[in-house]
Amino acid sequence: GKSTVARRLAMIETRTTYNNNDDDSNEKGEKKQDNDTTTISTNPYAAYIVDADKIGHDIYLRTTPGNVYNYIVNVFGTDILTTEKREIDRTKLGSKIFNDTKLRRQLNRLTHPTILSKILRSLAYGVFFSGCDIVIGDIPLLFESGKMPWLFCIIVVVSCSP
């Protein structure tokens, strides 16, 4: 039969949480959605999900607390910014670093400490304060980095062909 963890994982339902800080309203006064985490409040098999890709994307935004926007613009120049909103255009940045190992390492040195810190804080929140039974780290590059498998008691790898 299925293990207790497998049964619980099969029963997980999710809903997106919203950040209630007044600082996170858009220009229309609407609350911005906090997509770093997904939680369940009514399910007895609750899970708190930490999305590392979302965290990684958000640190490039000027409006994200603890972002790396200024560091990246100082190193890679303003030609990587979008013309209308002056945000970092990840495609332009990617074209700069794609074939340049030195620049890619420099970008990783600028972003990885912030990403790792935010992931660890989110995981700690999930474990100690979320009230959820299960904490899931959706961290695709876990095995490539080799830096975080010690955090998890169960590791599930999903591989899909296109």
Side-chain angles (χ1 to χ4, degrees):
K2 287 184 179 180
S3 71
T4 302
V5 172
R7 284 193 306 272
R8 284 187 174 193
L9 288 173
M11 298 174 80
I12 291 173
E13 300 171 12
T14 61
R15 71 170 171 79
T16 305
T17 60
Y18 290 86
N19 189 336
N20 290 322
N21 294 336
D22 291 334
D23 299 347
D24 289 340
S25 297
N26 65 17
E27 57 276 355
K28 296 179 184 175
E30 300 165 328
K31 295 293 183 191
K32 289 192 286 186
Q33 192 170 350
D34 176 8
N35 289 319
D36 285 352
T37 58
T38 305
T39 59
I40 307 90
S41 60
T42 58
N43 186 341
Y45 301 106
Y48 185 89
I49 301 173
V50 178
D51 184 344
D53 280 343
K54 177 71 173 126
I55 291 170
H57 284 87
D58 284 352
I59 67 164
Y60 286 87
L61 301 174
R62 288 182 300 157
T63 56
T64 300
N67 68 60
V68 294
Y69 177 90
N70 289 328
Y71 299 116
I72 292 173
V73 172
N74 287 339
V75 171
F76 295 96
T78 57
D79 57 323
I80 63 164
L81 300 177
T82 61
T83 50
E84 62 280 352
K85 292 187 177 180
R86 307 298 290 165
E87 291 290 352
I88 293 172
D89 184 325
R90 293 173 58 86
T91 304
K92 290 178 184 178
L93 179 59
S95 67
K96 275 193 167 194
I97 66 163
F98 185 73
N99 291 317
D100 191 326
T101 304
K102 183 180 175 185
L103 285 178
R104 191 168 46 255
R105 284 187 183 138
Q106 192 169 13
L107 178 64
N108 290 343
R109 280 193 302 273
L110 290 171
T111 58
H112 286 185
T114 301
I115 293 170
L116 182 59
S117 173
K118 287 181 175 278
I119 289 172
L120 291 173
R121 282 187 299 211
S122 294
L123 289 170
Y125 177 85
V127 169
F128 297 109
F129 304 109
S130 71
C132 295
D133 293 337
I134 298 171
V135 176
I136 298 174
D138 183 1
I139 308 171
L141 300 178
L142 177 68
F143 290 102
E144 288 183 28
S145 73
K147 293 181 181 176
M148 295 205 320
W150 53 267
L151 283 174
F152 303 96
C153 61
I154 297 173
I155 299 174
V156 178
V157 178
V158 177
S159 176
C160 303
S161 57

